Amino acid sequence: MKPFSSVESRNFSTLLLVSRIAATFSFLLLILGVGATLWTSFTESLPNAITFIPIIVWSILIFLFAGIIAVLVSIEEHLRMQEVRDVRNGKI
C-alpha cells in the first residue's frame, strides 16, 4: 500500500515523501487505536476503552493533514505540467 500513489512531483518530492510517511503512520495509528479500544472494551470496562479515543482522533487529523499536503503538491504539479504544455504549444 502506497498512500497518494497517483500524485507525482518534480519540485516537491521530499514534501510528498513526508506526506506519504505521515499517511502511513496515521493509518497504523488508527489500526492501533481501534484495536486497543476494542480489546479494552471487551476485556475491561467501557470507561477504560474511552481513553484510546484521542489516539483515533489524532490519527484521523494526521491523515487529513497529509492529504492536504498531497493535494497542494498535486496542484503544483498540475500547474507546472500545464505551463510545460503551454510552452510546447507556443502559447507562452
Side-chain angles (χ1 to χ4, degrees):
M1 179 188 99
K2 184 178 178 184
F4 314 119
S5 60
S6 62
V7 178
E8 295 179 7
S9 178
R10 174 183 270 178
N11 299 328
F12 294 112
S13 59
T14 306
L15 189 60
L16 185 59
L17 177 67
V18 168
S19 176
R20 287 178 176 158
I21 290 170
T24 303
F25 174 72
S26 70
F27 184 67
L28 294 174
L29 197 62
L30 179 68
I31 291 173
L32 176 81
V34 169
T37 302
L38 290 175
W39 177 261
T40 306
S41 66
F42 287 131
T43 59
E44 299 175 15
S45 63
L46 190 58
N48 290 341
I50 293 176
T51 59
F52 293 104
I53 297 297
I55 294 174
I56 297 171
V57 172
W58 275 106
S59 69
I60 292 170
L61 291 176
I62 292 170
F63 188 76
L64 287 175
F65 179 70
I68 290 170
I69 292 173
V71 165
L72 292 175
V73 169
S74 176
I75 289 171
E76 184 276 331
E77 182 65 16
H78 173 73
L79 292 175
R80 187 187 69 78
M81 289 303 297
Q82 185 176 5
E83 183 178 357
V84 167
R85 272 184 259 128
D86 288 345
V87 167
R88 284 183 186 162
N89 293 335
K91 292 181 181 178
I92 294 181

